Amino acid sequence: MIYKSYVVEQNIKLLNKSATLFYGENLGLKKEFIDKIKSINYEEEIFIFSQEELIKNKEIIIKQIVNISLFQKNKIFLINQVNDKLFDIVKEILELIDTQKLYLFGDILEKKSKLRNLFEKSKELDVVPCYEDNEISIKKIINDRLRGFQGLTPINLNNILENSSFDRVKLNNELD
């Protein structure tokens, strides 16, 4: 199922399938999703891999998926920097996953990308495109984060907006 990123931002628990693909140019948003996934699954065992690690040795993730203990918590797998080079490995992993969750994070994936098509066409997988923020979304984030702050004026809001350059990573640094 394809979800709008702002809907998932409000309720990440909507992602209830065994695997989810996050792709797009919004690095700050993808980082926020990773943080939310880690926070709601704090009791679970979380494994983080990069695409390059898995291309060099796919057995490191396969061993973790297959190795299930009766006393062990569920496993969460995060794979960063994915693209079509990982397509065959992802298909193999999807066949092995049972109670575990797989989250893939990639940059821009073209419409004809095999990995993107796999996730978009399947009813058993979730997809969240992470497009660049615009002025409205940045202003909403600023207002939400600074709600109740006494000194927030339209001038301050515009200064923060200009300093962030519509980049969520810079915005979070400005707000912190």
Side-chain angles (χ1 to χ4, degrees):
M1 172 148 206
I2 303 172
Y3 287 98
K4 302 280 187 196
S5 60
Y6 67 87
V7 173
V8 177
E9 268 185 288
Q10 295 168 1
N11 184 9
I12 197 156
K13 292 184 179 180
L14 289 172
L15 304 174
N16 56 6
K17 305 287 192 302
S18 62
T20 303
L21 171 65
F22 296 88
Y23 72 90
E25 61 267 9
N26 195 332
L27 299 175
L29 179 58
K30 290 186 286 187
K31 184 185 179 318
E32 287 179 16
F33 283 134
I34 289 171
D35 293 341
K36 284 182 182 182
I37 290 167
K38 287 179 179 179
S39 70
I40 64 170
N41 295 298
Y42 66 92
E43 292 183 351
E44 311 298 336
E45 194 170 358
I46 298 175
F47 297 90
I48 301 173
F49 300 101
S50 72
Q51 173 176 282
E52 295 307 316
E53 282 179 283
L54 298 181
I55 288 174
K56 288 178 184 172
N57 182 8
K58 72 179 179 181
E59 296 304 316
I60 57 176
I61 192 169
I62 291 174
K63 285 179 185 175
Q64 291 299 332
I65 292 170
V66 175
N67 184 15
I68 297 174
S69 168
L70 295 174
F71 306 104
Q72 197 171 32
K73 305 169 195 138
N74 285 333
K75 294 180 181 179
I76 308 292
F77 297 97
L78 304 174
I79 305 175
N80 294 310
Q81 304 153 347
V82 299
N83 60 33
D84 282 347
K85 292 179 185 174
L86 203 66
F87 179 75
D88 293 329
I89 296 171
V90 168
K91 281 184 72 173
E92 187 175 340
I93 291 169
L94 290 174
E95 292 173 8
L96 297 172
I97 284 184
D98 184 25
T99 59
Q100 305 94 340
K101 296 271 189 180
L102 175 67
Y103 297 97
L104 305 170
F105 295 88
D107 290 330
I108 299 169
L109 295 176
E110 298 297 324
K111 189 78 174 155
K112 59 185 175 187
S113 162
K114 293 190 292 185
L115 189 61
R116 178 176 167 182
N117 282 325
L118 172 70
F119 276 78
E120 286 182 346
K121 291 180 179 175
S122 173
K123 293 183 180 179
E124 304 301 316
L125 305 171
D126 290 328
V127 180
V128 182
C130 299
Y131 300 117
E132 282 297 322
D133 289 310
N134 57 26
E135 184 175 346
I136 295 168
S137 64
I138 294 291
K139 281 185 177 180
K140 183 182 180 321
I141 293 168
I142 294 169
N143 285 323
D144 289 348
R145 290 269 308 266
L146 298 179
R147 186 169 312 218
F149 185 73
Q150 298 296 330
L152 185 62
T153 65
I155 294 170
N156 292 344
L157 185 111
N158 286 332
N159 283 337
I160 295 170
L161 189 67
E162 285 177 27
N163 289 340
S164 71
S165 306
F166 302 117
D167 183 349
R168 202 178 280 233
V169 175
K170 288 181 184 176
L171 175 65
N172 287 331
N173 287 336
E174 287 289 322
L175 293 176
D176 288 342

